[in-house]
Amino acid sequence: MNVMQLKQIGLSHPRFAAASATAQELAGAVQRRVVLMRAQPPAHSSRPPQQLFLAESLSVLEPAIRQMRPALHLSQARNPRVVILMPGFGTHPVRMRYMAERLEEAGHTVKRWGTGFNMGATPENFALVAQRVVDVHQRYGQQVMLVGWSLGGIFAREVAKLHPEAVARVITMGSPFSHTPYSNNVWRLYQLVTGYSVEQPPLPLNLAAKPPVETIALWSPRDGVVAWRSACGRRGERDRARALRCSHMGFSNSREAILAVAEELDAD
């Protein structure tokens, strides 16, 4: 058996073929991301000032600063709700644990969204979140309140469109559902991680369309990640918009954001 025959046998081996296919897929994924990273936002897009974006890094100090403030105690809810909290892009539900604990102390039943880290909207994880909402609705026998932070708010809005019978209200916090998908400071990072354009997600979405349930948008002029007009939305894209003064990261655990969410959950 000569060298050429040995090479042919090796190339046809299943393990070699699988490795070759994997290498080709990896190369394709890298090439897609290179193209996406070179993309330019449209002229009419906007983003928060760089100083606000840099200030978002101070959020790592929040747990320590919280210890020096008076403890936050919410009033007991007049109408306790079943709530599902949906984390922002790249974050885990643990980032919203402080909010969950305060809402539970007020009498609400708070559930996680059931999929761990939020690494972008795909058909698979969107289906998991939608099923989670339906399951919680059926388990407790009442419509669920969806509270979504940043990208989590996009999930909340889209699930409410798909299953309005299971959702009582949607509250978004700094969620980029309006203006353009480029109106934020992290769209390139999102494309790098997910491998697809913010303009062409792997499932059909109409972000600006209002869900057929009451929808409240919490936004902040101090948000360093998502442009205020993208998180506030226009009339007809949400029922109400409410301005806070927290940072983007502060939506998940700041006193102001938690109080605002509690008030909206208890609103008639």
Side-chain angles (χ1 to χ4, degrees):
M1 185 176 293
N2 57 38
V3 174
M4 183 60 69
Q5 289 174 321
L6 288 172
K7 288 183 177 180
Q8 290 175 345
I9 292 173
L11 291 173
S12 63
H13 194 282
R15 289 184 179 178
F16 182 88
S20 178
T22 300
Q24 291 177 358
E25 291 176 2
L26 179 60
V30 171
Q31 185 176 14
R32 285 196 306 273
R33 283 164 171 79
V34 169
V35 172
L36 289 170
M37 291 300 288
R38 292 174 177 171
Q40 296 298 318
H44 67 285
S45 64
S46 63
R47 61 181 185 176
Q50 196 66 23
Q51 61 266 30
L52 289 180
F53 184 54
L54 294 175
E56 293 287 345
S57 61
L58 297 176
S59 64
V60 298
L61 302 176
E62 176 58 30
I65 295 174
R66 189 186 303 145
Q67 302 303 317
M68 297 182 285
R69 296 172 178 158
L72 174 60
H73 296 292
L74 301 180
S75 301
Q76 285 297 299
R78 295 174 299 163
N79 184 18
R81 306 281 194 166
V82 177
V83 184
I84 295 180
L85 300 183
M86 301 187 175
F89 175 60
T91 67
H92 190 272
V94 72
R95 288 299 302 271
M96 304 183 79
R97 183 170 59 188
Y98 182 69
M99 176 181 286
E101 291 172 346
R102 303 289 78 75
L103 295 178
E104 287 178 337
E105 288 178 359
H108 299 292
T109 299
V110 183
K111 311 298 292 184
R112 291 189 177 189
W113 77 330
T115 60
F117 282 95
N118 185 346
M119 299 309 295
T122 66
E124 295 77 18
N125 57 25
F126 181 75
L128 288 172
V129 174
Q131 188 59 52
R132 171 67 168 169
V133 172
V134 171
D135 290 344
V136 171
H137 162 58
Q138 294 176 345
R139 176 182 176 185
Y140 289 92
Q142 62 176 277
Q143 291 179 312
V144 181
M145 295 284 202
L146 303 183
V147 179
W149 169 34
S150 197
L151 181 60
I154 301 299
F155 275 87
R157 286 172 60 95
E158 296 304 314
V159 169
K161 296 173 190 177
L162 188 62
H163 295 289
E165 77 287 349
V167 179
R169 187 175 299 158
V170 170
I171 302 171
T172 61
M173 304 186 297
S175 299
F177 64 87
S178 188
H179 207 240
T180 82
Y182 295 95
S183 292
N184 58 80
N185 277 319
V186 294
W187 64 268
R188 279 196 173 91
L189 175 62
Y190 187 81
Q191 293 187 159
L192 178 64
V193 172
T194 63
Y196 58 80
S197 169
V198 291
E199 287 186 299
Q200 298 177 326
L203 65 167
L205 299 175
N206 183 0
L207 299 184
K210 194 190 87 66
V213 302
E214 187 177 13
T215 304
I216 298 94
L218 305 183
W219 64 279
S220 172
R222 295 182 179 178
D223 191 323
V225 176
V226 176
W228 69 266
R229 55 176 51 86
S230 183
C232 174
R234 302 182 179 92
R235 183 177 299 177
E237 296 175 344
R238 51 18 181 202
D239 292 295
R240 290 187 289 111
R242 178 173 175 176
L244 305 183
R245 301 292 293 177
C246 62
S247 67
H248 188 78
M249 302 304 292
F251 278 115
S252 68
N253 56 28
S254 71
R255 175 182 293 261
E256 180 187 20
I258 294 171
L259 289 170
V261 169
E263 289 176 9
E264 295 297 342
L265 292 176
D266 219 19
D268 295 329

